[in-house]
PDB file of all heavy atoms in Angstrom:
ATOM      1  N   ALA A 268      19.584  26.667 -13.928  1.00  0.00           N
ATOM      2  CA  ALA A 268      19.303  26.549 -12.501  1.00  0.00           C
ATOM      3  C   ALA A 268      19.841  25.251 -11.908  1.00  0.00           C
ATOM      4  O   ALA A 268      20.461  25.253 -10.835  1.00  0.00           O
ATOM      5  CB  ALA A 268      17.800  26.657 -12.268  1.00  0.00           C
ATOM      6  N   SER A 269      19.621  24.131 -12.583  1.00  0.00           N
ATOM      7  CA  SER A 269      20.097  22.847 -12.063  1.00  0.00           C
ATOM      8  C   SER A 269      21.618  22.812 -12.019  1.00  0.00           C
ATOM      9  O   SER A 269      22.210  22.308 -11.059  1.00  0.00           O
ATOM     10  CB  SER A 269      19.572  21.696 -12.917  1.00  0.00           C
ATOM     11  OG  SER A 269      18.183  21.532 -12.745  1.00  0.00           O
ATOM     12  N   THR A 270      22.248  23.354 -13.053  1.00  0.00           N
ATOM     13  CA  THR A 270      23.711  23.378 -13.098  1.00  0.00           C
ATOM     14  C   THR A 270      24.283  24.158 -11.924  1.00  0.00           C
ATOM     15  O   THR A 270      25.187  23.687 -11.214  1.00  0.00           O
ATOM     16  CB  THR A 270      24.186  24.008 -14.421  1.00  0.00           C
ATOM     17  OG1 THR A 270      23.799  23.169 -15.505  1.00  0.00           O
ATOM     18  CG2 THR A 270      25.696  24.174 -14.442  1.00  0.00           C
ATOM     19  N   VAL A 271      23.769  25.368 -11.702  1.00  0.00           N
ATOM     20  CA  VAL A 271      24.270  26.208 -10.615  1.00  0.00           C
ATOM     21  C   VAL A 271      24.034  25.532  -9.264  1.00  0.00           C
ATOM     22  O   VAL A 271      24.906  25.528  -8.388  1.00  0.00           O
ATOM     23  CB  VAL A 271      23.596  27.598 -10.656  1.00  0.00           C
ATOM     24  CG1 VAL A 271      23.968  28.416  -9.426  1.00  0.00           C
ATOM     25  CG2 VAL A 271      24.006  28.346 -11.919  1.00  0.00           C
ATOM     26  N   SER A 272      22.856  24.930  -9.100  1.00  0.00           N
ATOM     27  CA  SER A 272      22.525  24.275  -7.828  1.00  0.00           C
ATOM     28  C   SER A 272      23.428  23.074  -7.574  1.00  0.00           C
ATOM     29  O   SER A 272      23.885  22.856  -6.443  1.00  0.00           O
ATOM     30  CB  SER A 272      21.060  23.837  -7.832  1.00  0.00           C
ATOM     31  OG  SER A 272      20.205  24.957  -7.954  1.00  0.00           O
ATOM     32  N   GLU A 273      23.695  22.281  -8.611  1.00  0.00           N
ATOM     33  CA  GLU A 273      24.534  21.093  -8.441  1.00  0.00           C
ATOM     34  C   GLU A 273      25.982  21.473  -8.138  1.00  0.00           C
ATOM     35  O   GLU A 273      26.635  20.845  -7.292  1.00  0.00           O
ATOM     36  CB  GLU A 273      24.439  20.205  -9.684  1.00  0.00           C
ATOM     37  CG  GLU A 273      23.059  19.575  -9.835  1.00  0.00           C
ATOM     38  CD  GLU A 273      22.939  18.632 -11.027  1.00  0.00           C
ATOM     39  OE1 GLU A 273      23.936  18.500 -11.770  1.00  0.00           O
ATOM     40  OE2 GLU A 273      21.866  18.034 -11.193  1.00  0.00           O
ATOM     41  N   ILE A 274      26.495  22.493  -8.813  1.00  0.00           N
ATOM     42  CA  ILE A 274      27.864  22.945  -8.541  1.00  0.00           C
ATOM     43  C   ILE A 274      27.986  23.420  -7.099  1.00  0.00           C
ATOM     44  O   ILE A 274      28.981  23.156  -6.417  1.00  0.00           O
ATOM     45  CB  ILE A 274      28.250  24.066  -9.529  1.00  0.00           C
ATOM     46  CG1 ILE A 274      28.491  23.472 -10.924  1.00  0.00           C
ATOM     47  CG2 ILE A 274      29.489  24.817  -9.053  1.00  0.00           C
ATOM     48  CD1 ILE A 274      28.696  24.506 -11.995  1.00  0.00           C
ATOM     49  N   ALA A 275      26.953  24.124  -6.607  1.00  0.00           N
ATOM     50  CA  ALA A 275      26.981  24.629  -5.237  1.00  0.00           C
ATOM     51  C   ALA A 275      26.919  23.487  -4.223  1.00  0.00           C
ATOM     52  O   ALA A 275      27.670  23.477  -3.245  1.00  0.00           O
ATOM     53  CB  ALA A 275      25.826  25.600  -5.011  1.00  0.00           C
ATOM     54  N   VAL A 276      26.041  22.526  -4.454  1.00  0.00           N
ATOM     55  CA  VAL A 276      25.927  21.406  -3.512  1.00  0.00           C
ATOM     56  C   VAL A 276      27.226  20.601  -3.460  1.00  0.00           C
ATOM     57  O   VAL A 276      27.698  20.225  -2.376  1.00  0.00           O
ATOM     58  CB  VAL A 276      24.730  20.498  -3.880  1.00  0.00           C
ATOM     59  CG1 VAL A 276      24.764  19.196  -3.083  1.00  0.00           C
ATOM     60  CG2 VAL A 276      23.413  21.227  -3.614  1.00  0.00           C
ATOM     61  N   ILE A 277      27.824  20.342  -4.627  1.00  0.00           N
ATOM     62  CA  ILE A 277      29.087  19.604  -4.660  1.00  0.00           C
ATOM     63  C   ILE A 277      30.223  20.475  -4.123  1.00  0.00           C
ATOM     64  O   ILE A 277      31.146  19.981  -3.473  1.00  0.00           O
ATOM     65  CB  ILE A 277      29.392  19.112  -6.092  1.00  0.00           C
ATOM     66  CG1 ILE A 277      28.313  18.125  -6.544  1.00  0.00           C
ATOM     67  CG2 ILE A 277      30.767  18.437  -6.170  1.00  0.00           C
ATOM     68  CD1 ILE A 277      28.402  17.725  -8.011  1.00  0.00           C
ATOM     69  N   GLY A 278      30.142  21.791  -4.382  1.00  0.00           N
ATOM     70  CA  GLY A 278      31.129  22.721  -3.872  1.00  0.00           C
ATOM     71  C   GLY A 278      32.372  22.806  -4.726  1.00  0.00           C
ATOM     72  O   GLY A 278      33.465  22.428  -4.291  1.00  0.00           O
ATOM     73  N   ARG A 279      32.216  23.312  -5.967  1.00  0.00           N
ATOM     74  CA  ARG A 279      33.366  23.442  -6.860  1.00  0.00           C
ATOM     75  C   ARG A 279      33.419  24.854  -7.452  1.00  0.00           C
ATOM     76  O   ARG A 279      32.387  25.442  -7.760  1.00  0.00           O
ATOM     77  CB  ARG A 279      33.285  22.409  -7.996  1.00  0.00           C
ATOM     78  CG  ARG A 279      33.401  20.960  -7.525  1.00  0.00           C
ATOM     79  CD  ARG A 279      34.737  20.685  -6.859  1.00  0.00           C
ATOM     80  NE  ARG A 279      34.871  19.311  -6.360  1.00  0.00           N
ATOM     81  CZ  ARG A 279      34.627  18.948  -5.100  1.00  0.00           C
ATOM     82  NH1 ARG A 279      34.207  19.843  -4.210  1.00  0.00           N
ATOM     83  NH2 ARG A 279      34.800  17.687  -4.719  1.00  0.00           N
ATOM     84  N   PRO A 280      34.615  25.400  -7.602  1.00  0.00           N
ATOM     85  CA  PRO A 280      34.750  26.733  -8.202  1.00  0.00           C
ATOM     86  C   PRO A 280      34.337  26.692  -9.664  1.00  0.00           C
ATOM     87  O   PRO A 280      34.604  25.705 -10.358  1.00  0.00           O
ATOM     88  CB  PRO A 280      36.237  27.047  -8.047  1.00  0.00           C
ATOM     89  CG  PRO A 280      36.895  25.704  -7.964  1.00  0.00           C
ATOM     90  CD  PRO A 280      35.922  24.792  -7.288  1.00  0.00           C
ATOM     91  N   ALA A 281      33.709  27.759 -10.120  1.00  0.00           N
ATOM     92  CA  ALA A 281      33.169  27.737 -11.482  1.00  0.00           C
ATOM     93  C   ALA A 281      33.323  29.087 -12.174  1.00  0.00           C
ATOM     94  O   ALA A 281      33.228  30.143 -11.542  1.00  0.00           O
ATOM     95  CB  ALA A 281      31.697  27.336 -11.459  1.00  0.00           C
ATOM     96  N   ILE A 282      33.539  28.999 -13.473  1.00  0.00           N
ATOM     97  CA  ILE A 282      33.413  30.155 -14.358  1.00  0.00           C
ATOM     98  C   ILE A 282      32.069  29.984 -15.069  1.00  0.00           C
ATOM     99  O   ILE A 282      31.884  29.021 -15.834  1.00  0.00           O
ATOM    100  CB  ILE A 282      34.551  30.209 -15.404  1.00  0.00           C
ATOM    101  CG1 ILE A 282      35.921  30.200 -14.715  1.00  0.00           C
ATOM    102  CG2 ILE A 282      34.386  31.438 -16.297  1.00  0.00           C
ATOM    103  CD1 ILE A 282      36.178  31.360 -13.794  1.00  0.00           C
ATOM    104  N   LEU A 283      31.132  30.850 -14.783  1.00  0.00           N
ATOM    105  CA  LEU A 283      29.792  30.740 -15.353  1.00  0.00           C
ATOM    106  C   LEU A 283      29.639  31.709 -16.523  1.00  0.00           C
ATOM    107  O   LEU A 283      29.926  32.906 -16.390  1.00  0.00           O
ATOM    108  CB  LEU A 283      28.736  31.049 -14.281  1.00  0.00           C
ATOM    109  CG  LEU A 283      28.750  30.139 -13.041  1.00  0.00           C
ATOM    110  CD1 LEU A 283      27.692  30.592 -12.036  1.00  0.00           C
ATOM    111  CD2 LEU A 283      28.528  28.682 -13.434  1.00  0.00           C
ATOM    112  N   VAL A 284      29.195  31.169 -17.650  1.00  0.00           N
ATOM    113  CA  VAL A 284      28.996  31.971 -18.865  1.00  0.00           C
ATOM    114  C   VAL A 284      27.517  31.848 -19.242  1.00  0.00           C
ATOM    115  O   VAL A 284      27.126  30.907 -19.938  1.00  0.00           O
ATOM    116  CB  VAL A 284      29.900  31.478 -20.020  1.00  0.00           C
ATOM    117  CG1 VAL A 284      29.783  32.425 -21.217  1.00  0.00           C
ATOM    118  CG2 VAL A 284      31.346  31.354 -19.561  1.00  0.00           C
ATOM    119  N   PRO A 285      26.670  32.766 -18.772  1.00  0.00           N
ATOM    120  CA  PRO A 285      25.226  32.639 -19.031  1.00  0.00           C
ATOM    121  C   PRO A 285      24.907  32.593 -20.522  1.00  0.00           C
ATOM    122  O   PRO A 285      25.539  33.289 -21.332  1.00  0.00           O
ATOM    123  CB  PRO A 285      24.636  33.902 -18.387  1.00  0.00           C
ATOM    124  CG  PRO A 285      25.657  34.324 -17.375  1.00  0.00           C
ATOM    125  CD  PRO A 285      26.987  33.944 -17.952  1.00  0.00           C
ATOM    126  N   TYR A 286      23.925  31.757 -20.862  1.00  0.00           N
ATOM    127  CA  TYR A 286      23.457  31.700 -22.248  1.00  0.00           C
ATOM    128  C   TYR A 286      22.911  33.080 -22.607  1.00  0.00           C
ATOM    129  O   TYR A 286      21.982  33.570 -21.959  1.00  0.00           O
ATOM    130  CB  TYR A 286      22.379  30.632 -22.377  1.00  0.00           C
ATOM    131  CG  TYR A 286      21.814  30.484 -23.759  1.00  0.00           C
ATOM    132  CD1 TYR A 286      22.614  30.075 -24.821  1.00  0.00           C
ATOM    133  CD2 TYR A 286      20.469  30.744 -24.018  1.00  0.00           C
ATOM    134  CE1 TYR A 286      22.105  29.932 -26.095  1.00  0.00           C
ATOM    135  CE2 TYR A 286      19.936  30.605 -25.288  1.00  0.00           C
ATOM    136  CZ  TYR A 286      20.758  30.193 -26.328  1.00  0.00           C
ATOM    137  OH  TYR A 286      20.236  30.059 -27.593  1.00  0.00           O
ATOM    138  N   PRO A 287      23.474  33.733 -23.631  1.00  0.00           N
ATOM    139  CA  PRO A 287      23.136  35.146 -23.863  1.00  0.00           C
ATOM    140  C   PRO A 287      21.789  35.392 -24.530  1.00  0.00           C
ATOM    141  O   PRO A 287      21.322  36.528 -24.555  1.00  0.00           O
ATOM    142  CB  PRO A 287      24.275  35.625 -24.771  1.00  0.00           C
ATOM    143  CG  PRO A 287      24.731  34.392 -25.488  1.00  0.00           C
ATOM    144  CD  PRO A 287      24.550  33.258 -24.515  1.00  0.00           C
ATOM    145  N   TYR A 288      21.159  34.337 -25.047  1.00  0.00           N
ATOM    146  CA  TYR A 288      19.930  34.546 -25.811  1.00  0.00           C
ATOM    147  C   TYR A 288      18.683  34.098 -25.059  1.00  0.00           C
ATOM    148  O   TYR A 288      17.609  33.973 -25.643  1.00  0.00           O
ATOM    149  CB  TYR A 288      20.028  33.812 -27.156  1.00  0.00           C
ATOM    150  CG  TYR A 288      21.289  34.151 -27.910  1.00  0.00           C
ATOM    151  CD1 TYR A 288      22.278  33.181 -28.118  1.00  0.00           C
ATOM    152  CD2 TYR A 288      21.529  35.447 -28.370  1.00  0.00           C
ATOM    153  CE1 TYR A 288      23.468  33.493 -28.786  1.00  0.00           C
ATOM    154  CE2 TYR A 288      22.711  35.763 -29.037  1.00  0.00           C
ATOM    155  CZ  TYR A 288      23.662  34.786 -29.246  1.00  0.00           C
ATOM    156  OH  TYR A 288      24.827  35.106 -29.887  1.00  0.00           O
ATOM    157  N   ALA A 289      18.808  33.852 -23.761  1.00  0.00           N
ATOM    158  CA  ALA A 289      17.643  33.460 -22.966  1.00  0.00           C
ATOM    159  C   ALA A 289      16.661  34.627 -22.897  1.00  0.00           C
ATOM    160  O   ALA A 289      17.047  35.771 -22.613  1.00  0.00           O
ATOM    161  CB  ALA A 289      18.078  33.057 -21.563  1.00  0.00           C
ATOM    162  N   LEU A 290      15.381  34.344 -23.156  1.00  0.00           N
ATOM    163  CA  LEU A 290      14.376  35.406 -23.237  1.00  0.00           C
ATOM    164  C   LEU A 290      14.248  36.178 -21.935  1.00  0.00           C
ATOM    165  O   LEU A 290      14.085  37.393 -21.930  1.00  0.00           O
ATOM    166  CB  LEU A 290      13.014  34.805 -23.628  1.00  0.00           C
ATOM    167  CG  LEU A 290      12.908  34.250 -25.047  1.00  0.00           C
ATOM    168  CD1 LEU A 290      11.548  33.589 -25.253  1.00  0.00           C
ATOM    169  CD2 LEU A 290      13.103  35.363 -26.073  1.00  0.00           C
ATOM    170  N   ASP A 291      14.306  35.489 -20.809  1.00  0.00           N
ATOM    171  CA  ASP A 291      14.097  36.145 -19.511  1.00  0.00           C
ATOM    172  C   ASP A 291      15.410  36.440 -18.780  1.00  0.00           C
ATOM    173  O   ASP A 291      15.383  36.868 -17.627  1.00  0.00           O
ATOM    174  CB  ASP A 291      13.215  35.258 -18.621  1.00  0.00           C
ATOM    175  CG  ASP A 291      11.855  34.993 -19.246  1.00  0.00           C
ATOM    176  OD1 ASP A 291      11.260  35.954 -19.760  1.00  0.00           O
ATOM    177  OD2 ASP A 291      11.399  33.834 -19.215  1.00  0.00           O
ATOM    178  N   HIS A 292      16.548  36.208 -19.442  1.00  0.00           N
ATOM    179  CA  HIS A 292      17.866  36.401 -18.829  1.00  0.00           C
ATOM    180  C   HIS A 292      17.973  35.647 -17.501  1.00  0.00           C
ATOM    181  O   HIS A 292      18.615  36.108 -16.555  1.00  0.00           O
ATOM    182  CB  HIS A 292      18.143  37.894 -18.607  1.00  0.00           C
ATOM    183  CG  HIS A 292      18.068  38.713 -19.873  1.00  0.00           C
ATOM    184  ND1 HIS A 292      18.999  38.588 -20.895  1.00  0.00           N
ATOM    185  CD2 HIS A 292      17.157  39.629 -20.299  1.00  0.00           C
ATOM    186  CE1 HIS A 292      18.673  39.404 -21.889  1.00  0.00           C
ATOM    187  NE2 HIS A 292      17.567  40.036 -21.552  1.00  0.00           N
ATOM    188  N   ASP A 293      17.317  34.481 -17.453  1.00  0.00           N
ATOM    189  CA  ASP A 293      17.300  33.716 -16.206  1.00  0.00           C
ATOM    190  C   ASP A 293      18.678  33.188 -15.841  1.00  0.00           C
ATOM    191  O   ASP A 293      19.053  33.146 -14.668  1.00  0.00           O
ATOM    192  CB  ASP A 293      16.287  32.571 -16.293  1.00  0.00           C
ATOM    193  CG  ASP A 293      16.488  31.681 -17.511  1.00  0.00           C
ATOM    194  OD1 ASP A 293      17.000  32.180 -18.533  1.00  0.00           O
ATOM    195  OD2 ASP A 293      16.137  30.499 -17.456  1.00  0.00           O
ATOM    196  N   GLN A 294      19.472  32.799 -16.844  1.00  0.00           N
ATOM    197  CA  GLN A 294      20.792  32.262 -16.532  1.00  0.00           C
ATOM    198  C   GLN A 294      21.702  33.320 -15.915  1.00  0.00           C
ATOM    199  O   GLN A 294      22.499  33.018 -15.012  1.00  0.00           O
ATOM    200  CB  GLN A 294      21.435  31.651 -17.776  1.00  0.00           C
ATOM    201  CG  GLN A 294      20.790  30.358 -18.221  1.00  0.00           C
ATOM    202  CD  GLN A 294      21.760  29.454 -18.971  1.00  0.00           C
ATOM    203  OE1 GLN A 294      22.955  29.740 -19.103  1.00  0.00           O
ATOM    204  NE2 GLN A 294      21.259  28.338 -19.471  1.00  0.00           N
ATOM    205  N   ALA A 295      21.584  34.557 -16.373  1.00  0.00           N
ATOM    206  CA  ALA A 295      22.388  35.633 -15.788  1.00  0.00           C
ATOM    207  C   ALA A 295      22.015  35.839 -14.326  1.00  0.00           C
ATOM    208  O   ALA A 295      22.888  36.054 -13.464  1.00  0.00           O
ATOM    209  CB  ALA A 295      22.191  36.924 -16.575  1.00  0.00           C
ATOM    210  N   ALA A 296      20.724  35.763 -14.011  1.00  0.00           N
ATOM    211  CA  ALA A 296      20.273  35.930 -12.632  1.00  0.00           C
ATOM    212  C   ALA A 296      20.722  34.759 -11.755  1.00  0.00           C
ATOM    213  O   ALA A 296      21.141  34.951 -10.606  1.00  0.00           O
ATOM    214  CB  ALA A 296      18.750  36.065 -12.599  1.00  0.00           C
TER     215      ALA A 296
END
Side-chain angles (χ1 to χ4, degrees):
S269 290
T270 295
V271 172
S272 298
E273 292 183 358
I274 287 172
V276 169
I277 297 172
R279 295 298 178 264
I282 304 299
L283 301 178
V284 186
Y286 180 63
Y288 308 113
L290 292 175
D291 300 316
H292 303 292
D293 53 332
Q294 289 207 4

